[in-house]
Amino acid sequence: MAGQERMEQPRLEKLSRLIARGLDPYPHKFQRSHTAGEAARLFLETIESDPSATLPGISLAGRITAARFMGKAAFFDIRDGSGKMQVFFRRDSLGEDKYTVLHDLDLGDFLGVSGHVFKTRSGEVTLEASGFAILAKALRPLPEKWHGLVDVEKRYRQRYLDLIANEEVRELFIKRSRIISAIRNFMNARGFIEFETPVLQPMYGGALARPFITHHHALGQDLYPRIALELYLKRLLIGGFDRVYEIGRVFRNEGISTRHNPEFTMMESYEAYADYNDVMEMTENLVSSLASEILGTTQISFAGEVINLDPPWRRLPLRQAIVDKCGIDFMQYPDSNSLRARMKETGLQVDPLKDRGRLIDELLSTYVEPDLHQPTFLIDYPVDMSPLAKLHRKEAGLVERFEAFICSMEVANSFSELNDPREQLERFNRQRETHAAEIERAKAAGELPETEMVDDDFITAMEYGMPPAGGLGVGIDRLVMLLTDRQSIREVILFPQLKTKQGRGEE
């Protein structure tokens, strides 16, 4: 900390001198006329008709990112959200007193400048300042621009410094915003309506995941930050909306990895009278249209591999995929004990408490996922893995479900939605019986189990009649990873979850 204090001391001394001059280093407002980008474009349009023209009456504001003093003149670069502009200060036009103030400014300070725009002999568009105002004095130095900010943990923990130092990071998050907007536009154009559903819920459900828990003091009850958007969106289908979706944060109290963050963004949609075949077509069109709109191509590069997002994507039955990779046909093993014994023969170390559905999921993640590089729909899952999906209309023991994989990552999940309330309740109860030992173990440890809860209110809603529907869940963060060629989910989340450090600030 002592080193940081030494670096701050000169800035504090400059701050004191500014205040002693009667200047306010933190004013309430500055009236700017243009952004840097707007001013540059307007000037270039002006000189097309008159090459000797200047552009008067321009006021810009931004952060100082470079400063060069040359006797009676100084050149600063200031940057705002649109880009940077060089600013030229002349002592003779500003006056000695005001020009001297420039020496008490530092890189990182915010500055407002007014003047006229011209082009220097070297061809750089520049604003010659007739006046300026200090807008915020930075008390800590920025990362050295020529080195950038390369410490990965510091980049994630202090994302504001990452955004200041690394232009490509700013561009990445602008692209993320455009991707989310494009998803909304795609869904809205297909007649879907966006809704907002509760983040805090009395029951957690819609996925097999361990939740976080909080307590509402006024209500005197525990609540759970949602682990999925599903069950409340389905209530909207019951209420009479035919096409609904939501883009929102969900929270799962699970591990952290390059593809998992405890809070992440999902888009879930539900379309009445559709099934998983309709949703497959919508999903491949959604992803390919996003790539075309955002990147200008459906041929993307991820980790050095060219990926073709053009529809149609491959459809591959999960059963066949697992048989092809490890020779195990899960349909021949109707219970967890027989399947576990068969898996041990392949050399897998199998958790004795995992049920049949989770054992099949382990076969999928171990043998199949690593080779799913080009876009692939794995289809037709066992009912053990999918308590909210409708039974397959042709294959006994399976449900109509798909997961979409690209570059070995699951990016989407879909069902032909179960809409029989009697069967839904039976599935919930059967799942609780299957996971009884796990639930008791979790309770004994003071933890919450990773299993579907019986949501009586949802069952009640279903009893009023829910139309057949096709549902979809899309992982926004992983989709952004694919479209920006980032191999870690932390790269595409502005403020990823990290273990809290003691003390203020980061050195």
Side-chain angles (χ1 to χ4, degrees):
M1 189 65 181
Q4 182 67 45
E5 289 175 350
R6 286 195 297 271
M7 296 173 73
E8 291 174 11
Q9 188 58 37
R11 290 174 177 254
L12 291 171
E13 292 170 358
K14 291 178 180 180
L15 177 65
S16 297
R17 288 198 293 268
L18 293 172
I19 294 173
R21 287 173 175 271
L23 299 174
D24 180 2
Y26 302 102
H28 289 77
K29 182 179 179 179
F30 178 81
Q31 190 68 47
R32 66 176 180 177
S33 62
H34 299 79
T35 66
E38 289 169 346
R41 286 193 297 273
L42 182 59
F43 174 72
L44 293 174
E45 291 169 1
T46 301
I47 65 171
E48 282 183 2
S49 56
D50 181 2
S52 63
T54 61
L55 190 65
I58 300 297
S59 296
L60 307 176
R63 187 189 294 274
I64 301 171
T65 57
R68 302 172 298 281
F69 286 90
M70 305 170 66
K72 297 181 179 181
F75 289 90
F76 284 18
D77 288 345
I78 65 169
R79 178 178 290 278
D80 61 18
S82 69
K84 78 173 180 67
M85 174 76 76
Q86 179 173 264
V87 181
F88 173 50
F89 300 92
R90 287 198 302 162
R91 187 175 66 181
D92 292 345
S93 59
L94 288 175
E96 182 70 32
D97 288 346
K98 194 143 192 178
Y99 185 79
T100 301
V101 172
L102 294 176
H103 290 278
D104 282 331
L105 301 181
D106 291 293
L107 301 188
D109 293 353
F110 278 86
L111 191 67
V113 292
S114 301
H116 69 273
V117 178
F118 71 105
K119 185 179 283 189
T120 65
R121 292 178 183 176
S122 63
E124 183 165 0
V125 177
T126 301
L127 184 142
E128 181 172 351
S130 56
F132 65 88
I134 302 161
L135 305 182
K137 181 68 181 170
L139 301 183
R140 291 184 180 229
L142 300 178
E144 296 181 30
K145 182 181 177 183
W146 52 89
H147 290 151
L149 185 64
V150 295
D151 183 297
V152 173
E153 183 174 347
K154 192 178 186 72
R155 287 182 53 231
Y156 298 157
R157 196 175 291 279
Q158 293 179 276
R159 182 68 86 180
Y160 46 91
L161 293 182
D162 193 21
L163 295 168
I164 292 169
N166 296 320
E167 176 68 25
E168 67 178 51
V169 176
R170 287 197 297 273
E171 292 299 322
L172 184 153
F173 285 103
I174 291 171
K175 189 172 290 184
R176 179 188 171 109
S177 179
R178 291 179 59 210
I179 289 169
I180 294 173
S181 294
I183 292 172
R184 283 196 166 95
N185 293 338
F186 179 93
M187 299 302 291
N188 294 343
R190 295 176 74 99
F192 285 81
I193 303 174
E194 183 176 9
F195 290 96
E196 295 173 306
T197 62
V199 174
L200 293 178
Q201 302 179 353
M203 299 291 293
Y204 60 94
L208 294 175
R210 182 176 292 108
F212 292 92
I213 187 169
T214 187
H215 186 78
H216 193 293
H217 292 284
L219 294 177
Q221 70 178 76
D222 291 337
L223 296 172
Y224 307 95
R226 62 192 179 190
I227 62 173
L229 313 176
E230 181 164 350
L231 299 186
Y232 281 88
L233 288 175
K234 285 183 176 178
R235 286 168 168 88
L236 298 181
L237 288 183
I238 295 166
F241 291 105
D242 291 344
R243 294 183 177 185
V244 302
Y245 79 100
E246 181 174 5
I247 296 175
R249 288 284 201 179
V250 296
F251 309 86
R252 298 183 183 179
N253 195 358
E254 299 175 338
I256 295 176
S257 74
T258 57
R259 297 182 180 183
H260 299 86
N261 195 65
E263 57 175 315
F264 58 98
T265 305
M266 287 190 70
M267 190 276 285
E268 288 199 30
S269 68
Y270 295 87
E271 180 178 358
Y273 317 117
D275 67 7
Y276 78 144
N277 293 302
D278 301 306
V279 180
M280 262 186 268
E281 181 180 356
M282 185 177 78
T283 302
E284 61 193 7
N285 286 327
L286 168 63
V287 176
S288 61
S289 68
L290 285 178
S292 182
E293 179 176 343
I294 303 300
L295 305 177
T297 178
T298 54
Q299 313 294 310
I300 68 170
S301 176
F302 186 82
E305 183 176 7
V306 176
I307 306 298
N308 180 6
L309 298 177
D310 284 326
W313 296 358
R314 179 173 62 150
R315 273 79 165 156
L316 178 61
L318 175 63
R319 178 183 183 183
Q320 187 61 52
I322 294 176
V323 169
D324 289 344
K325 291 298 180 182
C326 67
I328 297 177
D329 182 353
F330 59 74
M331 295 299 286
Q332 295 180 2
Y333 304 94
D335 56 65
S336 57
N337 288 333
S338 60
L339 181 57
R340 187 179 297 110
R342 178 67 181 89
M343 290 171 65
K344 286 181 178 179
E345 293 176 5
T346 70
L348 287 177
Q349 297 297 317
V350 184
D351 186 339
L353 290 179
K354 281 189 175 180
D355 62 22
R356 181 172 179 268
R358 290 178 181 173
L359 293 175
I360 296 171
D361 188 55
E362 185 169 339
L363 290 173
L364 164 60
S365 60
T366 302
Y367 293 110
V368 180
E369 280 185 27
D371 291 332
L372 296 178
H373 295 271
Q374 296 299 324
T376 302
F377 292 118
L378 284 184
I379 63 173
D380 302 340
Y381 280 54
V383 67
D384 313 60
M385 297 176 68
S386 313
L388 294 160
K390 208 171 187 67
L391 289 175
H392 199 285
R393 63 196 86 180
K394 294 180 181 179
E395 299 284 347
L398 301 180
V399 296
E400 295 190 346
R401 173 186 178 185
F402 75 74
E403 288 183 302
F405 289 87
I406 306 174
C407 297
S408 304
M409 286 193 295
E410 178 205 337
V411 296
N413 185 26
S414 169
F415 311 143
S416 293
E417 299 294 338
L418 178 59
N419 62 335
D420 181 341
R422 298 164 305 166
E423 185 178 353
Q424 185 65 83
L425 180 58
E426 181 184 343
R427 296 246 200 115
F428 282 157
N429 288 330
R430 188 163 62 241
Q431 190 174 60
R432 284 188 62 82
E433 291 172 5
T434 301
H435 296 158
E438 176 189 341
I439 292 171
E440 290 305 314
R441 183 179 63 175
K443 287 181 178 179
E447 300 174 350
L448 293 167
E450 186 180 330
T451 185
E452 288 280 0
M453 304 296 286
V454 180
D455 188 333
D456 290 328
D457 182 71
F458 175 62
I459 297 297
T460 299
M462 288 185 71
E463 289 173 343
Y464 285 95
M466 177 179 137
L472 172 67
V474 175
I476 300 293
D477 308 290
R478 290 182 181 179
L479 200 53
V480 174
M481 287 171 64
L482 287 168
L483 296 179
T484 59
D485 194 12
R486 295 303 194 278
Q487 280 71 60
S488 172
I489 197 169
R490 292 183 177 187
E491 290 284 342
V492 301
I493 294 176
L494 272 169
F495 301 103
Q497 198 65 45
L498 300 168
K499 188 175 179 62
T500 303
K501 283 192 172 183
Q502 298 298 317
R504 185 175 68 88
E506 294 294 329
E507 308 306 333

